[in-house]
mmCIF file of all heavy atoms in Angstrom:
data_model
loop_
_atom_site.group_PDB
_atom_site.id
_atom_site.type_symbol
_atom_site.label_atom_id
_atom_site.label_comp_id
_atom_site.label_asym_id
_atom_site.label_seq_id
_atom_site.Cartn_x
_atom_site.Cartn_y
_atom_site.Cartn_z
ATOM 1 N N ARG A 56 17.851 7.376 -15.964
ATOM 2 C CA ARG A 56 18.639 8.180 -16.841
ATOM 3 C C ARG A 56 19.449 7.353 -17.875
ATOM 4 O O ARG A 56 19.138 7.579 -19.097
ATOM 5 C CB ARG A 56 19.663 8.988 -15.917
ATOM 6 C CG ARG A 56 20.600 9.796 -16.829
ATOM 7 C CD ARG A 56 21.553 10.670 -15.945
ATOM 8 N NE ARG A 56 21.730 10.168 -14.555
ATOM 9 C CZ ARG A 56 21.515 10.954 -13.473
ATOM 10 N NH1 ARG A 56 21.179 12.242 -13.611
ATOM 11 N NH2 ARG A 56 21.580 10.516 -12.363
ATOM 12 N N VAL A 60 18.568 7.013 -21.939
ATOM 13 C CA VAL A 60 19.403 7.423 -23.012
ATOM 14 C C VAL A 60 19.762 6.276 -23.954
ATOM 15 O O VAL A 60 19.819 6.517 -25.197
ATOM 16 C CB VAL A 60 20.782 8.013 -22.376
ATOM 17 C CG1 VAL A 60 21.922 8.210 -23.433
ATOM 18 C CG2 VAL A 60 20.517 9.276 -21.588
ATOM 19 N N LEU A 78 13.323 14.423 -20.658
ATOM 20 C CA LEU A 78 14.306 14.713 -19.621
ATOM 21 C C LEU A 78 13.597 15.660 -18.596
ATOM 22 O O LEU A 78 12.875 16.579 -18.892
ATOM 23 C CB LEU A 78 15.492 15.463 -20.267
ATOM 24 C CG LEU A 78 16.587 15.970 -19.256
ATOM 25 C CD1 LEU A 78 17.126 14.748 -18.560
ATOM 26 C CD2 LEU A 78 17.757 16.721 -20.118
ATOM 27 N N GLN A 83 18.057 15.744 -10.120
ATOM 28 C CA GLN A 83 19.513 15.916 -10.608
ATOM 29 C C GLN A 83 19.958 17.207 -10.658
ATOM 30 O O GLN A 83 19.218 18.152 -10.789
ATOM 31 C CB GLN A 83 19.628 15.101 -11.943
ATOM 32 C CG GLN A 83 18.736 15.694 -12.969
ATOM 33 C CD GLN A 83 18.778 14.833 -14.085
ATOM 34 O OE1 GLN A 83 19.536 13.925 -14.439
ATOM 35 N NE2 GLN A 83 17.831 15.082 -15.121
ATOM 36 N N SER A 84 21.306 17.390 -10.629
ATOM 37 C CA SER A 84 21.886 18.708 -10.709
ATOM 38 C C SER A 84 21.850 19.218 -12.180
ATOM 39 O O SER A 84 21.672 18.480 -13.063
ATOM 40 C CB SER A 84 23.359 18.633 -10.358
ATOM 41 O OG SER A 84 24.166 17.842 -11.294
ATOM 42 N N LYS A 85 22.159 20.494 -12.454
ATOM 43 C CA LYS A 85 22.243 21.133 -13.689
ATOM 44 C C LYS A 85 23.254 20.451 -14.543
ATOM 45 O O LYS A 85 23.008 20.130 -15.695
ATOM 46 C CB LYS A 85 22.389 22.532 -13.632
ATOM 47 C CG LYS A 85 21.366 23.394 -13.115
ATOM 48 C CD LYS A 85 21.892 24.808 -13.013
ATOM 49 C CE LYS A 85 20.745 25.638 -12.297
ATOM 50 N NZ LYS A 85 21.132 26.974 -11.922
ATOM 51 N N ALA A 86 24.382 20.031 -13.902
ATOM 52 C CA ALA A 86 25.430 19.422 -14.672
ATOM 53 C C ALA A 86 25.019 18.020 -15.156
ATOM 54 O O ALA A 86 25.243 17.611 -16.324
ATOM 55 C CB ALA A 86 26.726 19.268 -13.734
ATOM 56 N N GLU A 87 24.270 17.303 -14.234
ATOM 57 C CA GLU A 87 23.773 16.085 -14.698
ATOM 58 C C GLU A 87 22.741 16.085 -15.854
ATOM 59 O O GLU A 87 22.800 15.337 -16.816
ATOM 60 C CB GLU A 87 23.137 15.229 -13.569
ATOM 61 C CG GLU A 87 24.157 14.737 -12.595
ATOM 62 C CD GLU A 87 23.607 14.254 -11.209
ATOM 63 O OE1 GLU A 87 22.637 14.870 -10.728
ATOM 64 O OE2 GLU A 87 24.137 13.325 -10.707
ATOM 65 N N ALA A 88 21.800 17.119 -15.769
ATOM 66 C CA ALA A 88 20.856 17.232 -16.859
ATOM 67 C C ALA A 88 21.647 17.713 -18.243
ATOM 68 O O ALA A 88 21.357 17.235 -19.271
ATOM 69 C CB ALA A 88 19.912 18.480 -16.358
ATOM 70 N N ARG A 89 22.535 18.506 -18.015
ATOM 71 C CA ARG A 89 23.342 18.983 -19.328
ATOM 72 C C ARG A 89 24.033 17.710 -19.870
ATOM 73 O O ARG A 89 24.145 17.648 -21.139
ATOM 74 C CB ARG A 89 24.471 19.952 -18.919
ATOM 75 C CG ARG A 89 23.902 21.339 -18.638
ATOM 76 C CD ARG A 89 24.917 22.331 -18.325
ATOM 77 N NE ARG A 89 24.350 23.599 -17.765
ATOM 78 C CZ ARG A 89 24.535 24.138 -16.710
ATOM 79 N NH1 ARG A 89 25.330 23.800 -15.893
ATOM 80 N NH2 ARG A 89 23.852 25.510 -16.486
ATOM 81 N N ALA A 90 24.679 16.888 -18.978
ATOM 82 C CA ALA A 90 25.189 15.671 -19.523
ATOM 83 C C ALA A 90 24.180 14.720 -20.425
ATOM 84 O O ALA A 90 24.524 14.045 -21.337
ATOM 85 C CB ALA A 90 25.823 14.829 -18.409
ATOM 86 N N VAL A 91 22.911 14.728 -19.885
ATOM 87 C CA VAL A 91 21.933 13.971 -20.582
ATOM 88 C C VAL A 91 21.709 14.625 -21.961
ATOM 89 O O VAL A 91 21.513 13.981 -23.118
ATOM 90 C CB VAL A 91 20.694 13.763 -19.789
ATOM 91 C CG1 VAL A 91 19.654 13.013 -20.717
ATOM 92 C CG2 VAL A 91 20.921 13.014 -18.548
ATOM 93 N N LEU A 92 21.646 15.981 -21.979
ATOM 94 C CA LEU A 92 21.406 16.636 -23.337
ATOM 95 C C LEU A 92 22.589 16.257 -24.322
ATOM 96 O O LEU A 92 22.404 16.020 -25.401
ATOM 97 C CB LEU A 92 21.352 18.129 -23.116
ATOM 98 C CG LEU A 92 20.120 18.642 -22.383
ATOM 99 C CD1 LEU A 92 20.317 20.227 -22.078
ATOM 100 C CD2 LEU A 92 18.865 18.382 -23.104
ATOM 101 N N ASP A 93 23.793 16.325 -23.799
ATOM 102 C CA ASP A 93 24.945 15.985 -24.595
ATOM 103 C C ASP A 93 24.855 14.554 -25.044
ATOM 104 O O ASP A 93 25.157 14.189 -26.233
ATOM 105 C CB ASP A 93 26.237 16.065 -23.831
ATOM 106 C CG ASP A 93 26.512 17.564 -23.519
ATOM 107 O OD1 ASP A 93 25.908 18.472 -24.236
ATOM 108 O OD2 ASP A 93 27.330 17.894 -22.572
ATOM 109 N N ALA A 94 24.390 13.587 -24.103
ATOM 110 C CA ALA A 94 24.305 12.166 -24.460
ATOM 111 C C ALA A 94 23.231 11.892 -25.565
ATOM 112 O O ALA A 94 23.458 11.186 -26.595
ATOM 113 C CB ALA A 94 23.883 11.311 -23.369
ATOM 114 N N PHE A 95 22.098 12.831 -25.549
ATOM 115 C CA PHE A 95 21.173 12.762 -26.496
ATOM 116 C C PHE A 95 21.806 13.128 -27.935
ATOM 117 O O PHE A 95 21.634 12.466 -29.026
ATOM 118 C CB PHE A 95 19.953 13.618 -26.391
ATOM 119 C CG PHE A 95 19.027 13.017 -25.322
ATOM 120 C CD1 PHE A 95 18.184 13.837 -24.553
ATOM 121 C CD2 PHE A 95 18.818 11.617 -25.049
ATOM 122 C CE1 PHE A 95 17.199 13.412 -23.576
ATOM 123 C CE2 PHE A 95 17.885 11.092 -24.169
ATOM 124 C CZ PHE A 95 17.058 11.995 -23.358
ATOM 125 N N LYS A 96 22.533 14.225 -27.868
ATOM 126 C CA LYS A 96 23.061 14.914 -29.093
ATOM 127 C C LYS A 96 23.987 13.841 -29.680
ATOM 128 O O LYS A 96 24.081 13.650 -30.886
ATOM 129 C CB LYS A 96 23.802 16.054 -28.742
ATOM 130 C CG LYS A 96 22.929 17.365 -28.926
ATOM 131 C CD LYS A 96 23.839 18.511 -28.975
ATOM 132 C CE LYS A 96 23.006 19.710 -29.451
ATOM 133 N NZ LYS A 96 23.715 20.974 -29.535
ATOM 134 N N GLN A 97 24.849 13.221 -28.820
ATOM 135 C CA GLN A 97 25.871 12.324 -29.364
ATOM 136 C C GLN A 97 25.187 11.075 -30.138
ATOM 137 O O GLN A 97 25.753 10.404 -30.997
ATOM 138 C CB GLN A 97 26.730 11.617 -28.245
ATOM 139 C CG GLN A 97 27.854 12.554 -27.698
ATOM 140 C CD GLN A 97 28.173 12.328 -26.290
ATOM 141 O OE1 GLN A 97 27.857 11.188 -25.656
ATOM 142 N NE2 GLN A 97 28.962 13.162 -25.662
ATOM 143 N N ARG A 98 23.952 10.804 -29.649
ATOM 144 C CA ARG A 98 23.157 9.647 -30.323
ATOM 145 C C ARG A 98 22.269 10.151 -31.528
ATOM 146 O O ARG A 98 21.597 9.530 -32.112
ATOM 147 C CB ARG A 98 22.353 8.980 -29.303
ATOM 148 C CG ARG A 98 23.314 8.061 -28.487
ATOM 149 C CD ARG A 98 22.541 7.715 -27.019
ATOM 150 N NE ARG A 98 23.393 6.940 -26.277
ATOM 151 C CZ ARG A 98 24.391 7.383 -25.637
ATOM 152 N NH1 ARG A 98 24.709 8.708 -25.642
ATOM 153 N NH2 ARG A 98 25.172 6.584 -24.803
ATOM 154 N N ARG A 137 22.038 25.386 -25.865
ATOM 155 C CA ARG A 137 23.004 24.471 -26.481
ATOM 156 C C ARG A 137 22.861 24.240 -27.911
ATOM 157 O O ARG A 137 23.681 23.798 -28.661
ATOM 158 C CB ARG A 137 22.864 23.160 -25.727
ATOM 159 C CG ARG A 137 23.217 23.105 -24.216
ATOM 160 C CD ARG A 137 22.959 21.939 -23.490
ATOM 161 N NE ARG A 137 24.143 21.215 -23.390
ATOM 162 C CZ ARG A 137 25.295 21.465 -22.564
ATOM 163 N NH1 ARG A 137 25.075 22.625 -21.763
ATOM 164 N NH2 ARG A 137 26.329 20.814 -22.392
#
Side-chain angles (χ1 to χ4, degrees):
R56 179 174 20 231
V60 168
L78 176 58
Q83 62 187 344
S84 66
K85 288 179 189 170
E87 286 167 323
R89 288 181 184 123
V91 176
L92 291 176
D93 290 342
F95 283 156
K96 268 200 169 174
Q97 279 156 12
R98 284 160 182 76
R137 295 178 100 73

